[in-house]
Amino acid sequence: MDIRFQNLGPEQWKGAVMLAPVCEGESLPGQPELDKAAPWLAIAPALRDFKAKKDELALLHGHPELPIPRVLAIGLGPRDKFDISGLRKAVAAAVQRCHSLGLESILLPEPCLARLPGGRERLVEEAVLAACLALYKFTVLKKPAEDEPAPPQWLALGFDGESVPDAAHAAARRGERAATAVARARDLANMPGNLLYPEVMAERAMELAQSAGFTCRVLDVPALEAEGMGAMLAVGQGSARPPRLVVLEYAPAGHEQEKPLIFVGKGITFDSGGISLKPSANMHQMKSDMSGAAAVLAAMTALAEEETPRRLVGLLACAENMPDGQATRPGDVVRAANGDTVEIVNTDAEGRLVLCDALVYAQKHWTPAAIVDVATLTGACMVALGTGLAGLFSDDDDLCERIMAAGGVGGEHFWRLPLWQDYAEQLKSETADICHAGPREGGAINAALFLKHFVREGVRWAHLDIAGVDWNSKTSPLCPAGAAGFAARTLLELGRGGVQ
Ligand code: BES
Ligand code: MN
Ligand code: ZN
């Protein structure tokens, strides 16, 4: 759907439908722009049924020949309970209604948004994002339903004055770009393991790098061997699809010498558990065990497209975790890229193995401003925090605050969990320098402590455990069931903001 702009005031606005967001108890005719754009509203007979309760939608019809023949009133609930996540949901539900009605164009009056609490530009940004994500569907592998109408071709923001304010224009573009990033991450994570494996991730990254303007290098098995990445290789060796480390670099002119902000993503294109095979129930969801890498790739692409003035590196640690005659056995000892030997007691704890080598690589080749890794790492994190909160681990309070703030922009919420050093004892091994997994209790913390072992003292580092939040079991206005694209927006906002 195209995002457009209309100005010159309500009398000039056009569209198959006008969205009219209203708070409960506030009257629909009576808002000056709506009255001017659709004067017939005042006599629309169905209007009195509309109470503007949260989630309430009412479609009102004027004469079909009018420049705006329909109004879709959107209930926002009471003004004092209004928040931006409510706006996102309301706009998304309204746009889905427009889609199912087969309406080809939508007008959203900016002055109506501007009257809501939250800040003019932010409201535009999130309304545009929500409108775009409302139409997201993973369609490439499915015939379209015969009776499904075409999606709306455009949504226009209607402005009052002679011209569209630059700030509103920029806000709309930011929202659109964020939605594209989330949709890209979802597309990657929804793609099944037979169609998306490490080499395919590398190809996608290469294509996006070329179109968005960053560089992409791919380390194949001999290159991983040369880097001494025995942990990552151990994960991939039971699969017919070889592992890949994908290295993305973005350094705009004038920022080449800057310390890069480094994103590291877990890219397990399918996680069967390996020899420590998972139970079959819901195993298919493990096609999205590369959500972290997907978020990194999507965010890097968006940041490069908008020419963010900062240096960035993205590492996608991709492998498929499968059981075969070559597979790693529980009890095997391998050598990680930092030279330490690692005892692998459970081949289903593979994410931390690909990540530890990627973390070492990040510190060997750059002096990072900060490293943020993103991973669907532990079922324990999902048990601890549920499916609405992601785990955040870092000893750096400032970095934690920035990540929580970045997440807050798009409604991705993180809860800080401790890197409780006493538990590091549990990662001691009889046979190797470190054991990669501890007891089930505190599993998310143990995994984070294993990663921390590979981060040098003084390096700013945070670990995001997105197991559980990256997948939606139910359809909602902003996301159909399946991959949520979680963390793409957070990384995008983090790249847009500070962290020097
Ligand atoms: N990819 C899984 C974690 C996961 C579980 C993500 C459920 C999303 C939903 C990870 O590789 C894994 O299997 N972790 C194990 C670690 C354990 C063996 C130490 C887990 O959490 O059970
Ligand atoms: Mn696993
Ligand atoms: Zn996994």
Side-chain angles (χ1 to χ4, degrees):
M1 183 175 58
D2 227 19
I3 301 300
R4 299 186 183 174
F5 304 90
Q6 295 183 14
N7 51 358
L8 300 174
E11 288 94 345
Q12 304 300 318
W13 295 344
K14 289 179 194 66
V17 61
M18 174 166 71
L19 304 186
V22 199
C23 293
E24 195 171 334
E26 298 175 14
S27 75
L28 180 47
Q31 299 200 34
E33 299 75 22
L34 301 182
D35 290 353
K36 284 185 205 149
W40 53 268
L41 250 186
I43 52 160
L47 191 57
R48 68 177 69 111
D49 297 339
F50 178 69
K51 302 286 182 290
K53 291 201 183 304
K54 209 174 165 68
D55 300 328
E56 189 180 356
L57 291 176
L59 183 67
L60 308 162
H61 290 268
H63 192 279
E65 300 296 317
L66 288 165
I68 296 182
R70 300 175 194 83
V71 169
L72 182 58
I74 310 176
L76 297 173
R79 178 173 281 268
D80 57 348
K81 295 213 180 86
F82 173 87
D83 64 11
I84 208 130
S85 99
L87 178 77
R88 266 188 228 113
K89 282 184 211 141
V91 170
V95 168
Q96 283 172 351
R97 172 71 72 84
C98 298
H99 181 196
S100 59
L101 291 166
L103 303 177
E104 68 279 10
S105 58
I106 306 172
L107 183 100
L108 177 59
E110 191 272 345
C112 292
L113 291 179
R115 269 195 297 275
L116 298 169
R120 204 166 184 147
E121 277 88 37
R122 283 285 299 135
L123 291 156
V124 166
E125 179 178 359
E126 297 307 303
V128 168
L129 167 113
C132 296
L133 287 183
L135 300 175
Y136 174 80
K137 255 190 170 169
F138 182 65
T139 52
V140 285
L141 300 179
K142 207 174 160 181
K143 287 194 217 68
E146 267 166 30
D147 52 353
E148 179 162 312
Q153 281 170 21
W154 52 262
L155 174 136
L157 287 156
F159 290 85
D160 234 344
E162 287 288 305
S163 62
V164 177
D166 286 348
H169 202 274
R173 291 293 170 230
R174 272 200 308 278
E176 193 182 11
R177 175 113 42 221
T180 305
V182 174
R184 272 206 182 106
R186 286 180 187 172
D187 275 343
L188 290 165
N190 278 323
M191 193 61 87
N194 64 325
L195 301 177
L196 187 133
Y197 40 94
E199 289 157 292
V200 177
M201 270 297 269
E203 276 166 31
R204 291 280 171 282
M206 208 58 110
E207 289 159 15
L208 290 169
Q210 262 168 17
S211 72
F214 56 93
T215 65
C216 174
R217 275 184 298 123
V218 180
L219 274 63
D220 59 7
V221 170
L224 296 173
E225 280 165 356
E227 286 287 335
M229 295 190 160
M232 176 145 173
L233 286 160
V235 175
Q237 74 192 32
S239 164
R241 317 286 203 187
R244 293 285 185 266
L245 180 74
V246 183
V247 182
L248 315 172
E249 286 189 79
Y250 169 70
H255 297 266
E256 296 92 342
Q257 302 309 320
E258 200 171 272
K259 291 180 179 175
L261 170 59
I262 305 187
F263 298 144
V264 179
K266 170 176 171 180
I268 301 298
T269 56
F270 185 71
D271 180 12
S272 68
I275 297 297
S276 313
L277 196 64
K278 285 182 182 295
S280 356
N282 295 329
M283 201 207 269
H284 68 279
Q285 281 180 22
M286 286 299 128
K287 67 178 184 179
S288 72
D289 208 20
M290 32 56 72
S291 292
V296 170
L297 178 55
M300 282 279 297
T301 303
L303 287 162
E305 279 172 353
E306 66 188 24
E307 300 179 25
T308 301
R310 62 148 46 254
R311 189 173 174 208
L312 300 164
V313 169
L315 301 178
L316 318 179
C318 301
E320 187 184 44
N321 189 24
M322 294 289 266
D324 81 354
Q326 305 289 322
T328 295
R329 291 155 286 258
D332 282 2
V333 173
V334 298
R335 194 176 293 279
N338 70 341
D340 283 358
T341 53
V342 179
E343 184 185 6
I344 301 177
V345 287
N346 183 328
T347 63
D348 196 11
E350 82 300 335
R352 62 198 78 183
L353 294 173
V354 297
L355 288 174
C356 73
D357 278 348
L359 289 171
V360 171
Y361 188 86
Q363 296 164 90
K364 179 174 157 195
H365 293 276
W366 296 276
T367 305
I371 305 177
V372 179
D373 78 66
V374 190
T376 47
L377 204 62
T378 64
C381 191
M382 185 168 71
V383 171
L385 298 178
T387 53
L389 277 173
L392 162 60
F393 296 85
S394 178
D395 288 328
D396 188 316
D397 294 347
D398 175 66
L399 187 56
C400 283
E401 270 172 37
R402 287 170 193 272
I403 289 169
M404 306 236 261
V409 174
E412 296 180 332
H413 301 298
F414 294 85
W415 196 265
R416 197 167 170 186
L417 294 172
L419 284 160
W420 190 250
Q421 209 51 48
D422 286 1
Y423 294 173
E425 286 293 310
Q426 301 169 335
L427 298 176
K428 290 209 166 126
S429 162
E430 292 294 332
T431 48
D433 297 325
I434 187 168
C435 179
H436 82 139
R440 282 184 62 215
E441 296 82 3
I445 302 174
N446 302 336
L449 285 168
F450 177 80
L451 296 179
K452 185 183 164 182
H453 174 87
F454 296 87
V455 180
R456 283 199 300 265
E457 197 70 40
V459 174
R460 298 183 76 188
W461 162 73
H463 157 59
L464 312 182
D465 193 333
I466 60 166
V469 289
D470 74 305
W471 186 271
N472 284 354
S473 47
K474 281 203 229 103
T475 293
S476 72
L478 284 154
C479 186
F486 195 96
R489 180 101 196 256
T490 299
L491 296 185
L492 169 58
E493 299 300 339
L494 202 59
R496 283 171 169 174
V499 194
Q500 292 309 320

